Amino acid sequence: MPLSIVHRDGVAVVATGNPLRHVFHAERAARRPPALAGIEPHPIRSAAVIGGGTMGTGIAAALLNAGLPLVLVERDEAAVERALARLSAIFDGAVKRGRISVRLAAERLAAVTGTTHYTALAEADLIIEAVFEDLDVKRDVFRRLAAVCRADAILATNTSYLDPERIAADIGSPERFLGLHFFSPAQVMKLLEIVPTQATAPEVLATGFALARMLNKIPVRAGISDGFIGNRILKVMRAQAERLLLGGATPAAVDAAMRAFGLPMGPFEAQDLGGLDIAAFQRRAARARGETAFAPVADRLSEIGRFGQKSGGGWYDYAPGDRTPRPSATVARIIADEGRGRPRSVWDEAAIADCIFWPMVNEATRILEDGTALRASDIDLVEIHGYGFPRWRGGLMHHAQAHGLHKVAEALSALAEAGFADPPCDPLLQAAARGSFL
């Protein structure tokens, strides 16, 4: 397919052609949004992180790697000590891998102050909240921050799913607030979803993009919706993976097909690594909000305490001290029970890939249509830098367009007729008629 340069919001973006060239241009466009041209960001000379769990310490390490002095706040002294130990382990690991020197690691750790007192944040330029994914907990954090921090300090939440508008409801100066959604491990992953609220000031939004440059991350502006861009698509991927199980595939076959496509690991391996309890909590919260979450097998695994590698079994069984996934008879029985009476099929690697990726494209097209993503190329960057979609394929949307959007729509219609997916949405059918998302 020949190379085609199109212009969107004043930025040249590669629509088709060489996938790597497409990604290169998409990354350049994402770093410098035309809407922020001429807007000066706030200077960031110091930072703070609220919450010293895995995500919070990852964010703290990323900020320290950028040379920023840091305050790390936890709820009590024991939690502070645990957080500082996690942070030390991050830098110790970087030294062992030869990425930084012992001296540099010591300098970075010396730049962090652990505390339980919010008053230590009085002079911080940027404060990032990374506490438990609970609306009331996060709102309490920002109420406390608003009482002690500088009037011009930028306040950010790292929420993955919650509405930033609701989190910021009580801070009094919502123009200085935005979402900064890091991906775990935050000191490694390149993606940063930047989520402004309606009140976010342009210079505050510009500061979010300036921060991404400081941290050497790829910024993507995302609108407010459940899961923003990446996690909203991830929910579809996980649902489709389970539909495949109920339709005759096995976890090992699905994971192998995803690796063959170019992902570093399949959806079931990834869930076992990250922990099924995290996704289960998110599903419970979504259902409490009146949303539908399709995960019949994952729900049952969580109910019996199969949370992945951390518990010795999730989608796979694991021997003590061995992370090698082994097929599980327990999981097979639950799949057979949940799949009873459902349509079944024979799945090769190509069919598995179609059943997972084309519904993801369907949802991504809705995300583009409702403005959660500004450009199809931004969705490509989210999938590449946040979820391991193979760069050499150009990203999810580029891959679909190269395949032919009319073929994608036809495949979705066939999957829907067989009971394995939703039919193509109207925006996708319209894009297929144009031959392009742009």
Side-chain angles (χ1 to χ4, degrees):
M1 189 175 290
L3 183 67
S4 173
I5 304 292
V6 298
H7 290 266
R8 174 99 177 202
D9 299 329
V11 177
V13 179
V14 180
T16 57
N18 184 285
L20 294 177
R21 191 178 301 176
H22 163 74
V23 176
F24 171 78
H25 282 273
E27 289 172 343
R28 290 187 63 186
R31 287 188 176 102
R32 296 173 176 82
L36 297 178
I39 296 175
E40 286 296 318
H42 290 279
I44 301 175
R45 294 175 292 264
S46 63
V49 174
I50 313 296
T54 300
M55 179 60 81
T57 50
I59 295 171
L63 294 166
L64 291 167
N65 283 336
L68 292 170
L70 181 82
V71 176
L72 181 59
V73 179
E74 259 292 1
R75 64 184 179 275
D76 54 46
E77 292 296 340
V80 170
E81 291 303 315
R82 289 193 297 270
L84 293 176
R86 291 188 192 99
L87 199 53
S88 181
I90 289 173
F91 286 109
D92 287 345
V95 170
K96 290 177 182 177
R97 291 189 293 273
R99 294 183 176 177
I100 61 173
S101 67
V102 173
R103 178 181 176 182
L104 185 55
E107 289 176 356
R108 288 176 177 171
L109 285 169
V112 62
T113 300
T115 183
T116 62
H117 302 296
Y118 277 61
T119 52
L121 309 176
E123 296 304 318
D125 295 321
L126 169 70
I127 304 170
I128 302 174
E129 166 272 310
V131 301
F132 191 64
E133 194 77 346
D134 179 273
L135 180 62
D136 291 335
V137 173
K138 289 180 182 289
R139 290 181 69 173
D140 181 64
V141 165
F142 283 101
R143 279 192 291 267
R144 298 176 67 183
L145 285 175
V148 299
C149 64
R150 291 199 331 255
D152 62 343
I154 293 176
L155 307 181
T157 177
N158 179 60
T159 183
S160 301
Y161 286 93
L162 299 175
D163 184 346
E165 299 273 6
R166 299 182 66 192
I167 293 172
D170 298 325
I171 68 171
S173 301
E175 69 278 358
R176 60 175 170 160
F177 176 92
L178 79 167
L180 294 175
H181 180 211
F182 290 79
F183 286 69
S184 187
Q187 74 277 14
V188 174
M189 298 295 285
K190 299 281 285 185
L191 179 64
L192 179 61
E193 284 185 325
I194 299 178
V195 190
T197 68
Q198 290 185 355
T200 301
E203 60 271 18
V204 171
L205 181 58
T207 306
F209 282 85
L211 176 68
R213 291 193 292 272
M214 291 177 65
L215 303 183
N216 193 30
K217 294 191 182 295
I218 301 295
V220 172
R221 179 172 177 168
I224 295 176
S225 65
D226 188 45
F228 309 125
I229 298 172
N231 282 338
R232 187 167 154 186
I233 297 173
L234 177 64
K235 287 191 295 184
V236 174
M237 181 185 200
R238 288 178 171 173
Q240 288 303 120
E242 288 210 34
R243 286 191 174 95
L244 281 163
L245 300 185
L246 303 184
T250 65
V254 173
D255 285 342
M258 293 297 95
R259 291 194 304 272
F261 183 84
L263 272 68
M265 64 177 64
F268 301 114
E269 296 167 310
Q271 289 180 63
D272 273 3
L273 179 62
L276 276 72
D277 50 332
I278 298 172
F281 171 81
Q282 292 166 346
R283 288 194 301 272
R284 287 195 298 272
R287 288 167 180 148
R289 297 192 298 269
E291 300 168 13
T292 301
F294 180 85
V297 181
D299 283 340
R300 288 187 59 178
L301 295 180
S302 295
E303 287 169 4
I304 61 174
R306 291 185 65 96
F307 298 132
Q309 292 183 13
K310 67 176 73 175
S311 65
W315 290 102
Y316 299 97
D317 289 338
Y318 300 90
D322 185 357
R323 294 188 176 188
T324 304
R326 295 175 171 83
S328 167
T330 299
V331 173
R333 285 195 296 271
I334 292 173
I335 292 171
D337 185 33
E338 292 294 332
R340 192 172 294 113
R342 294 178 181 264
R344 299 178 70 81
S345 185
V346 177
W347 303 97
D348 59 19
E349 287 183 346
I352 289 172
D354 286 354
C355 191
I356 288 180
F357 289 121
W358 300 152
M360 290 169 63
V361 170
N362 207 26
E363 182 63 17
T365 308
R366 295 188 185 99
I367 286 171
L368 194 60
E369 178 70 15
D370 66 26
T372 300
L374 297 181
R375 297 176 289 243
S377 58
D378 284 347
I379 297 173
D380 288 334
L381 296 181
V382 168
E383 289 300 309
I384 290 169
H385 292 292
Y387 300 90
F389 197 94
R391 184 184 184 92
W392 57 270
R393 291 188 185 272
L396 178 68
M397 305 297 264
H398 186 277
H399 171 64
Q401 193 160 304
H403 182 78
L405 296 184
H406 64 289
K407 294 181 181 178
V408 173
E410 290 171 358
L412 273 170
S413 295
L415 286 167
E417 187 174 346
F420 291 109
D422 292 337
C425 63
D426 288 342
L428 180 56
L429 293 174
Q430 293 160 9
R434 293 192 305 269
S436 172
F437 291 111
L438 300 169

